[in-house]
Amino acid sequence: MFMSANLLRKMAGTIPAGIVRFFGNLYPPYLGAAIRATRVSSDYTEIDVRMKLTWYNRNYVGTQFGGSMYSMTDPFFMLMLINNLGKDYIVWDKGAQINFVKPGRGTVFAYFRLSQSQISEIKSIADSSDKYIFDLPINIVDHNNEIVAEIKKTMYVRKKKDRNVL
């Protein structure tokens, strides 16, 4: 966003969700694709995102541009994990796969959810291994809640190494 990634990592868990939502919605790539975070829960376990169909994110055949649909899912699981795991963990978006199910003919939505048990499991595995690479699914749906695209985000989490250990 407008803050450096390093500053965001240092402030993990201390930036109010409303501030992140506000500045995230001003991020030029999201403005340009009509992507908007409509809700960020205060504990960063739920984020709702929408993308309206506009003349500037419409593809050649008049439906949602696939690249914009992917963009609307890009950083959110990472942001959620950084804020829930804290400063002692490194979190990356390692990769993604997208399967287009049907054309996006209007506004589309993505609802990101992480349960406390998922977060605890991720933390436990990252604590007991060198790194943890895993997939998180997210669907993009239309106004009828019908799936437009299925995305699998591959996440990388590891505990930071203690620099004081010899």
Side-chain angles (χ1 to χ4, degrees):
M1 300 185 213
F2 293 127
M3 296 184 223
S4 75
N6 197 29
L7 180 60
L8 281 174
R9 278 191 296 276
K10 286 180 183 175
M11 296 178 68
T14 64
I15 303 173
I19 302 275
V20 169
R21 184 177 60 83
F22 176 79
F23 284 108
N25 286 335
L26 295 176
Y27 187 48
Y30 290 158
L31 283 173
I35 296 168
R36 222 168 144 71
T38 57
R39 189 174 77 86
V40 179
S41 67
S42 61
D43 63 356
Y44 289 94
T45 59
E46 298 183 0
I47 297 178
D48 299 344
V49 179
R50 79 156 192 258
M51 181 173 60
K52 292 183 178 182
L53 180 61
T54 66
W55 66 269
Y56 49 88
N57 67 4
R58 193 177 301 253
N59 64 20
Y60 189 74
V61 295
T63 61
Q64 290 282 7
F65 173 62
S68 295
M69 281 197 279
Y70 170 74
S71 291
M72 76 182 288
T73 68
D74 187 25
F76 295 106
F77 277 132
M78 183 178 74
L79 179 67
M80 295 164 78
L81 287 168
I82 287 169
N83 279 281
N84 276 283
L85 296 175
K87 299 173 188 175
D88 294 333
Y89 294 85
I90 294 171
V91 180
W92 294 342
D93 262 330
K94 187 165 173 47
Q97 291 181 314
I98 187 165
N99 178 42
F100 298 104
V101 177
K102 70 179 225 176
R105 300 192 187 279
T107 302
V108 292
F109 308 87
Y111 304 105
F112 298 83
R113 302 292 185 264
L114 282 176
S115 68
Q116 288 301 326
S117 63
Q118 282 177 294
I119 294 164
S120 295
E121 180 182 4
I122 291 165
K123 192 174 202 171
S124 175
I125 293 171
D127 287 348
S128 64
S129 57
D130 184 43
K131 62 186 173 193
Y132 182 34
I133 298 172
F134 58 97
D135 294 328
L136 291 172
I138 183 73
N139 291 328
I140 296 175
V141 299
D142 64 15
H143 67 281
N144 292 321
N145 210 32
E146 293 179 9
I147 296 174
V148 173
E150 302 164 323
I151 292 138
K152 182 171 54 173
K153 300 288 295 183
T154 301
M155 307 303 300
Y156 170 103
V157 175
R158 80 168 169 83
K159 187 151 177 133
K160 288 182 181 176
K161 303 205 183 327
D162 187 1
R163 295 180 185 200
N164 296 327
V165 175
L166 297 177

